[in-house]
């Protein structure tokens, strides 16, 4: 019998902004609000009294994941939800009078970016970002925070990645994320540009409402439902897993911090292997985890590891939630969600 760890609910995990700068905008645009991180970010901003214009192309009426993510936002005062595709919609009206734009919309998965879906990655991660940046600079929005990715570093050998390291993206997705952040920074570097940019390189984010394609979601649901989880490789690959409310805190801090035109890692600097994650899932659920081994997927790197010093210096940020505590909260959420769905 395995040692069981007790699940914690999200309310035990402190306020999303604890530990980070409490400065915040008055009116903000959040793109990707029907997504995992965007829905958490929008909720935290609303709870701090910020008016949020949330934009996403997924419609809650037609997409059950969007519906679940947006459900936490709809009764919040100050939330204006717009269903629109950033590739085609008029962007300027969305950004009118905004103090900050948080641009999180995009196509996120590493592995599906090979092959026919690449066009969608280019369109949503690069072309849509160009439209946002053009509108933001024309309207002189003071700050744009863009969601970049640890994947831009590529295969690193496991040593901590610094923002000044030479990026070597190892997947088509990572190439588009590097292009996305550099595109925003190129706009911001023009002498006549009044919009400053902070590009945040998020490191494998987890917590309640995590995307269903991601490993922690899959291993916890496999344990809860007695299903098999497929492990790509030998499980020794390591990730600098970062809890979603910590990511939200860094993101909000980036809107007002004196950190203009910079790139900042959002990861705590602690890495964990997938085999260790499987063990934590087993101990938290008290259930066996059935694993089927499959080949390593193209574009997956052996390790991600953040050097968090820039985030500490520019954002006064450090993470509060460790992997076990955060996985317990995610498990708690999954269990109650399953219960509600039954
Ligand atoms: P997600 O898929 O849950 O959310 C992204 C949202 O963007 C979706 O709801 C999608 O509908 C929306 N979107 C995509 N293209 C759009 C368009 N053209 N117009 C309007 N809406 C559009 O993904 P997530 O995990 O919440 O990731 C959010 C952002 O953070 C992404 O940019 C991703 O690349 C980045 N990121 C995520 C992680 C992670 O671990 N989840 C790590 C690093 C970077
Ligand atoms: C995650 C996000 O999905 C990306 O959007 C983000 O850009 C990236 O983090 C980042 O940090 O920048 P990834 O690290 O691949 O990407 O996160 P997972 O999808 O959770 O995969 C983690 C590891 O688990 C990978 O080695 C993957 O191959 C493995 N995995 C995933 C499995 O073995 N089985 C699965 O079913 C899913």
């Amino acid at each position: 019998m395995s040692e069981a760890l007790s699940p914690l609910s999200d309310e035990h995990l402190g306020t999303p902004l604890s530990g980070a700068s409490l400065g915040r905008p008055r009116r903000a645009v959040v793109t990707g609000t029907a997504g995992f991180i965007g829905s958490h970010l929008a909720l935290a901003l609303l709870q701090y009294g910020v008016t949020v214009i949330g934009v996403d192309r997924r419609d809650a009426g037609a997409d059950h994941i969007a519906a679940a993510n947006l459900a936490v936002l709809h009764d919040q005062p100050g939330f204006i939800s717009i269903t629109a595709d950033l590739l085609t919609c008029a962007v300027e009206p969305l950004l009118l009078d905004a103090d900050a734009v948080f641009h999180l919309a995009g196509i996120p998965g590493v592995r599906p970016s090979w092959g026919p879906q690449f066009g969608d990655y280019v369109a949503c991660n690069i072309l849509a970002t160009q439209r946002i940046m053009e509108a933001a600079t024309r309207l002189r929005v003071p700050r744009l925070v863009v969601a970049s990715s640890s994947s831009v570093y590529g295969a690193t050998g496991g040593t901590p990645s610094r923002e000044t390291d030479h990026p070597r993206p190892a997947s088509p997705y990572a190439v588009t994320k590097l292009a996305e952040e550099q595109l925003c920074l190129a706009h911001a570097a023009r002498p006549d540009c009044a919009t400053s940019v902070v590009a945040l390189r998020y490191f494998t984010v987890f917590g309640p409402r995590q995307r269903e394609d991601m490993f922690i979601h899959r291993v916890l649901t496999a344990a809860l439902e007695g299903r098999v989880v497929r492990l790509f490789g030998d499980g020794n690959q390591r990730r600098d897993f970062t809890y979603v409310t910590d990511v939200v805190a860094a993101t909000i801090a980036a809107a007002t911090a004196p950190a203009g035109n910079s790139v900042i890692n959002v990861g705590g600097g602690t890495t964990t292997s997938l085999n260790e994650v499987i063990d934590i899932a087993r101990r938290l659920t008290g259930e066996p985890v059935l694993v089927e081994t499959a080949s390593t997927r193209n574009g997956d790197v052996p390790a991600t590891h953040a050097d968090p010093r820039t985030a500490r210096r520019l954002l006064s940020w450090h993470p509060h939630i460790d992997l076990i505590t955060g996985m317990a909260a995610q498990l708690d959420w999954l269990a109650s969600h399953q219960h509600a769905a039954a």
Side-chain angles (χ1 to χ4, degrees), residues 108 111 149-150 173 204 211 215 218 230 232 239 300:
R111 293 163 291 284
S149 154
S150 74
Y173 163 72
T204 313
R211 296 193 334 262
F215 188 71
R218 286 190 171 174
R230 279 206 302 165
F232 304 140
R239 291 290 179 274
D300 270 346

Side-chain angles (χ1 to χ4, degrees), residues 77-298:
F79 183 56
I80 300 161
S81 181
I82 312 278
T83 305
D85 191 331
L86 293 166
L87 284 164
T88 49
C89 70
V91 179
E92 278 190 31
L94 304 173
L95 270 51
L96 278 177
D97 212 20
D99 310 304
V101 175
F102 297 93
H103 179 42
L104 275 66
I107 309 294
V110 174
R111 293 163 291 284
S113 65
W114 304 98
Q117 284 187 53
F118 182 61
D120 211 22
Y121 282 79
V122 172
C124 295
N125 296 352
I126 306 176
L127 298 179
T129 299
Q130 166 78 359
R131 299 189 84 231
I132 292 273
M133 245 353 261
E134 281 180 337
T137 55
R138 265 199 301 270
L139 292 172
R140 304 179 76 77
V141 176
R143 175 63 54 85
L144 180 133
V145 180
V146 59
S148 184
S149 154
S150 74
S151 66
V152 304
Y153 291 113
T156 59
T159 52
S161 297
R162 299 197 67 170
E163 292 84 353
T164 48
D165 290 352
H166 184 66
R168 290 186 175 81
S171 66
Y173 163 72
V175 170
T176 65
K177 293 307 285 186
L178 183 60
E180 176 176 357
E181 63 165 50
Q182 294 302 318
L183 177 64
C184 294
L185 290 162
H187 278 275
R190 291 178 305 172
D192 59 342
C193 183
T195 303
S196 62
V197 165
V198 180
L200 298 176
R201 292 180 177 166
Y202 297 156
F203 283 67
T204 313
V205 186
F206 72 107
R209 306 199 296 280
Q210 190 190 40
R211 296 193 334 262
E212 292 184 354
D213 59 296
M214 294 185 69
F215 188 71
I216 290 181
H217 173 90
R218 286 190 171 174
V219 77
L220 288 174
T221 47
L224 283 174
E225 295 169 8
R227 286 192 287 104
V228 171
V229 66
R230 279 206 302 165
L231 180 62
F232 304 140
D234 61 8
N236 288 321
Q237 61 266 51
R238 305 183 75 82
R239 291 290 179 274
D240 199 334
F241 295 103
T242 314
Y243 192 68
V244 66
T245 57
D246 284 325
V247 168
V248 163
T251 307
I252 294 176
T256 49
N261 301 345
S262 53
V263 176
I264 305 176
N265 289 337
V266 179
T270 303
T271 73
T272 309
S273 74
L274 298 195
N275 288 327
E276 290 166 314
V277 170
I278 292 168
D279 191 50
I280 295 167
R282 184 176 54 75
R283 290 161 62 204
L284 283 172
T285 59
E287 300 290 341
V289 177
L290 308 171
V291 176
E292 174 188 286
T293 311
S295 59
T296 301
R297 295 309 198 241
N298 287 333

